[in-house]
Amino acid sequence: MKLSQGVKMAWHSVYSQKLRTLLTILGIMIGIASVTVMVAIGNGTAEQVKSQMQGLGTNLLTANVVGRGAVTSITLEDAEKIADIDGVSAYAPVISGSVTVKYGTTTYSASVLATTPSFAEVREYSVAQGRFIKEIDGAFAQKVAVIGSEVAEELGMSNPVGEKITLDGVPYKVVGVLASKGSSTTGSNDNIVIVPIQTARVVLKTDAIRTLYVQAESEKRVDFVQTMLEFHLQTFFRGDEDSYTVFNQADLLKTITEVSTSMSTMLTYVAAISLLVGGIGIMNMMLVSVTERTREIGIRKSLGAKQRDILFQFLVEAAIIGGLGGVIGVLVGAGGSSFAGKWMNSPVAPSVDIMVIAVAFSMGVGVLFGFLPARRASKLDPVEALRH
Amino acid sequence: MSAKQDQQCLIRLENIYKQYEMAGETFNALDGVSVTVNKGDFMAIVGPSGSGKSTLMNVLGCLDRPTSGTYYLDGAEVQKLRDNKLAQIRNYKIGFIFQQYHLLPKLRVIDNVELPLVYRGMSARERRERCREALEKVGLGDKLHHLPSQLSGGQQQRVAIARALAGRPPLLLADEPTGALDSKTSREVIALLKELNEAGNTIVLITHDPSVAAQAKRVVRISDGRLTEERNEAS
């Protein structure tokens, strides 16, 4: 018998039992669909987090200072010493706090970051209008501010550069507006006001530096810079390692990748279990089908069907049932993913690889679990079978 | 047996035994059957139920192997062949006509008729041609796309005959072909078989109905697994 004829015959049998086929493939279908949806959501989230992290720059190190005893922070001069490492391209100490911004009669609450001009480079901000803060602003403790795009919008400033605003009652002159960066896991990047670090005492009532951003020249130097940075901090805090923490973007990225990998491993197990359950369903249905079709098998054998013709026909039927479950499951999953994405407002990234693998495996499961019934059919004695 | 006789002979059974174990006792369903069927014969095998009729039919049809004895079909010894080889013999050498028609209910008439050819691996075009031809021969050239359930019993049996003819086998084996039909339709089916025999087909027919057997050229009787010649017009 020719291959195409066998497939056609098998398709005919599967098609003529629509309801039963549908019920049989339901298990595989649901399993494949749910895995497709979960993988899409998982991938989407991981990709989003990754792109945000990359937005921060993978060369960036963040040192947070908690302090020890009387020394709970560092000064501008300390920061300069601590960041004096080979391979550092820029560093920016930050004093942060929350203030009420007022423009005319409009008030708005925003975070203030008192920092140095290199902050823009380190955190990869660019200016949409006007200019960023400059060394000279700091040197003369000028009360100038660069505002985030969201702040400008919330205050209703159509042309902010040159306008006066007050930060907790202290008047500042807006010299620039930042280009929008969107939001990340740590909140909005556009809801900030940047002022020279020398004016921190005026607005934030403190000049204690708790955050120090350090940018390495290249990704290769990140590890070296991190080691040196930790060494300098350790020296500064006289060996107390609890006084500071240093974050490395690359490490964080790695952690996220690990989490998403272990999640996909888990999903693979879920898929495997649902395929196993579905496979048992196929085997059950095929066994019933062989019993019901004993006479048909007898007729086919009397007309000259060989054992392998019958085996092949039933195996192909099982493969079609399995594959159909996979295909419908993937389609439902793809639909479900985009629905879930809209509903939960989270990004989804359906994985084509997973879909192809899912369909292939479903067919494989069909063949595997269809083998026993198909073999039983092929071994039937034609005389006995015809008597049915 | 001379070479000339050998050429004429389609079936030769020599001392065929078929034994079954029943409740510890050995039971001879076929008890030393020897018979020769020539090409172009129309032979009826008659006998009551339990006489070994069906067993003989199964052996003749290569659906079952005898316990001992030799069976020559179309010049080849077939009693020792493996299952796959027997399937091939059935496919090429034998056209079955069953009492219950044994059509596949979900396949259209033409798809039923082409089944033996499908297992032969024949191309679709050739199959269609042969099936059309066979169905026209039985007078059902206009029912190609009907389902068996849309046809009468007599028509279904004619589809089964067309299926048996489609492979152009040297032997047509009919097991109670009129057993499920009324007398008028039976006569039509038997007339069709006679016609096919006159056109050169060798037919072996199993029946318990004397009026059906009367239409054959030759009648053998089976009882308790033994054959006796009853009538042979040829001899």
Side-chain angles (χ1 to χ4, degrees):
Chain A
M1 185 175 53
K2 284 182 184 163
L3 196 91
S4 57
Q5 272 301 313
V7 173
K8 208 174 136 195
M9 253 180 217
W11 172 252
H12 195 94
S13 306
V14 171
Y15 186 76
S16 65
Q17 293 273 15
K18 282 187 271 296
L19 180 64
R20 186 194 283 188
T21 305
L22 190 74
L23 290 174
T24 308
I25 65 176
L26 215 53
I28 287 190
M29 207 184 89
I30 292 171
I32 296 288
S34 51
V35 168
T36 310
V37 172
M38 286 191 284
V39 166
I41 292 173
N43 274 357
T45 311
E47 265 169 34
Q48 188 193 32
V49 172
K50 265 188 206 170
S51 72
Q52 282 167 359
M53 310 280 315
Q54 267 150 3
L56 289 173
T58 43
N59 299 351
L60 184 68
L61 294 167
T62 310
N64 283 318
V65 174
V66 192
R68 162 179 175 270
V71 189
T72 58
S73 62
I74 55 175
T75 64
L76 201 52
E77 289 76 33
D78 300 331
E80 197 177 334
K81 276 183 229 156
I82 288 166
D84 182 18
I85 303 164
D86 259 1
V88 167
S89 60
Y91 72 96
V94 174
I95 305 165
S96 56
S98 196
V99 295
T100 304
V101 189
K102 192 171 177 193
Y103 169 68
T105 54
T106 322
T107 60
Y108 182 63
S109 182
S111 343
V112 166
L113 302 177
T115 185
T116 59
S118 48
F119 181 81
E121 185 195 337
V122 173
R123 290 291 311 271
E124 291 173 356
Y125 273 103
S126 58
V127 175
Q129 292 172 43
R131 61 171 178 87
F132 202 69
I133 55 169
K134 289 184 170 170
E135 284 296 342
I136 197 156
D137 298 324
F140 292 96
Q142 288 293 303
K143 295 199 187 75
V144 293
V146 177
I147 60 175
S149 55
E150 199 177 319
V151 177
E153 200 178 303
E154 289 292 332
L155 291 174
M157 303 169 89
S158 52
N159 195 6
V161 178
E163 295 289 326
K164 288 268 186 217
I165 56 171
T166 64
L167 304 176
D168 277 355
V170 182
Y172 269 77
K173 185 180 157 194
V174 177
V175 293
V177 181
L178 295 171
S180 175
K181 269 186 85 170
S183 47
S184 73
T185 37
T186 48
S188 173
N189 284 313
D190 302 323
N191 186 22
I192 55 170
V193 175
I194 294 167
V195 298
I197 197 161
Q198 290 81 357
T199 69
R201 179 161 281 282
V202 187
V203 243
L204 296 170
K205 319 284 185 282
T206 174
D207 50 11
I209 296 169
R210 289 246 163 89
T211 307
L212 178 63
Y213 291 111
V214 175
Q215 190 179 41
E217 270 170 7
S218 66
E219 230 175 302
K220 283 181 195 161
R221 305 219 63 172
V222 170
D223 286 344
F224 171 75
V225 170
Q226 184 171 6
T227 311
M228 287 309 290
L229 184 62
E230 279 168 350
F231 174 69
H232 283 182
L233 284 163
Q234 199 181 13
T235 314
F236 185 83
F237 288 106
R238 296 159 198 260
D240 184 359
E241 288 179 11
D242 294 335
S243 304
Y244 60 87
T245 50
V246 177
F247 285 116
N248 176 341
Q249 296 293 340
D251 282 352
L252 244 114
L253 208 62
K254 214 199 245 162
T255 311
I256 287 161
T257 314
E258 271 165 21
V259 168
S260 72
T261 310
S262 67
M263 196 170 92
S264 32
T265 311
M266 218 178 65
L267 288 178
T268 311
Y269 290 136
V270 172
I273 290 169
S274 68
L275 282 178
L276 178 77
V277 173
I280 293 168
I282 289 182
M283 175 140 73
N284 189 27
M285 180 212 161
M286 293 301 291
L287 281 174
V288 171
S289 177
V290 168
T291 309
E292 277 180 355
R293 286 157 66 188
T294 302
R295 190 153 100 144
E296 176 193 329
I297 295 160
I299 294 170
R300 287 182 184 277
K301 284 200 152 188
S302 75
L303 297 178
K306 297 189 177 106
Q307 283 192 11
R308 64 178 143 88
D309 293 329
I310 303 290
L311 184 81
F312 181 70
Q313 185 191 346
F314 278 85
L315 275 186
V316 171
E317 271 181 39
I320 288 176
I321 292 168
L324 218 55
V327 169
I328 297 178
V330 161
L331 290 180
V332 169
S337 308
S338 66
F339 178 74
K342 278 185 194 130
W343 186 51
M344 300 195 301
N345 204 16
S346 74
V348 289
S351 158
V352 177
D353 290 3
I354 293 285
M355 291 180 182
V356 173
I357 291 171
V359 173
F361 261 83
S362 311
M363 286 182 87
V365 162
V367 171
L368 192 72
F369 285 88
F371 190 77
L372 181 85
R375 208 179 128 79
R376 180 174 287 188
S378 75
K379 294 274 180 202
L380 282 177
D381 174 33
V383 175
E384 290 292 325
L386 277 173
R387 219 171 276 163
H388 254 256
Chain B
M1 192 176 281
S2 75
K4 194 176 172 235
Q5 273 177 309
D6 229 19
Q7 272 179 356
Q8 284 184 341
C9 156
L10 180 65
I11 293 173
R12 201 165 90 229
L13 296 183
E14 281 173 3
N15 217 18
I16 294 283
Y17 282 85
K18 181 70 186 178
Q19 297 175 329
Y20 292 106
E21 293 284 330
M22 273 171 105
E25 274 180 66
T26 311
F27 161 73
N28 282 335
L30 294 179
D31 195 2
V33 171
S34 296
V35 70
T36 307
V37 180
N38 287 330
K39 283 176 187 162
D41 257 358
F42 185 178
M43 184 176 89
I45 300 170
V46 293
S49 58
S51 58
K53 233 171 23 186
S54 297
T55 311
L56 182 58
M57 153 89 183
N58 290 339
V59 170
L60 282 173
C62 294
L63 291 164
D64 207 352
R65 288 187 203 82
T67 313
S68 68
T70 323
Y71 176 13
Y72 293 94
L73 175 61
D74 205 18
E77 204 176 314
V78 296
Q79 83 277 4
K80 278 178 187 155
L81 295 177
R82 297 193 157 275
D83 285 354
N84 275 345
K85 206 73 192 152
L86 281 183
Q88 208 172 330
I89 296 277
R90 289 197 293 272
N91 189 251
Y92 281 88
K93 306 280 186 196
I94 301 164
F96 285 99
I97 301 157
F98 298 101
Q99 179 176 5
Q100 298 297 333
Y101 330 131
H102 281 344
L103 299 174
L104 297 186
K106 280 172 191 159
L107 298 188
R108 295 173 306 169
V109 163
I110 184 134
D111 298 321
N112 262 295
V113 173
E114 73 170 10
L115 265 181
L117 305 179
V118 166
Y119 289 117
R120 226 177 254 197
M122 197 179 272
S123 76
R125 245 186 68 207
E126 212 179 339
R127 286 201 312 259
R128 293 281 132 165
E129 225 166 86
R130 286 249 203 136
C131 294
R132 220 177 280 262
E133 193 186 303
L135 279 163
E136 269 159 20
K137 225 180 253 182
V138 301
L140 288 174
D142 56 338
K143 306 275 192 223
L144 265 53
H145 303 292
H146 286 61
L147 286 174
S149 55
Q150 295 168 318
L151 302 177
S152 71
Q155 285 173 326
Q156 289 189 51
Q157 191 59 296
R158 280 192 283 162
V159 172
I161 293 171
R163 181 178 64 187
L165 288 172
R168 294 178 189 158
L171 173 65
L172 291 181
L173 201 53
D175 183 11
E176 302 273 15
T178 58
L181 302 174
D182 61 59
S183 55
K184 182 173 170 277
T185 326
S186 293
R187 279 198 297 278
E188 281 169 19
V189 166
I190 292 300
L192 176 61
L193 289 179
K194 267 182 104 164
E195 204 178 296
L196 291 171
N197 174 246
E198 272 151 32
N201 289 287
T202 312
I203 300 177
V204 173
L205 180 145
I206 289 173
T207 184
H208 66 272
D209 183 346
S211 70
V212 170
Q215 304 294 312
K217 286 184 197 163
R218 180 181 169 196
V219 179
V220 291
R221 175 168 295 278
I222 185 166
S223 71
D224 295 332
R226 288 167 202 272
L227 272 193
T228 46
E229 192 84 29
E230 202 152 89
R231 175 167 67 80
N232 194 344
E233 284 173 14
S235 58

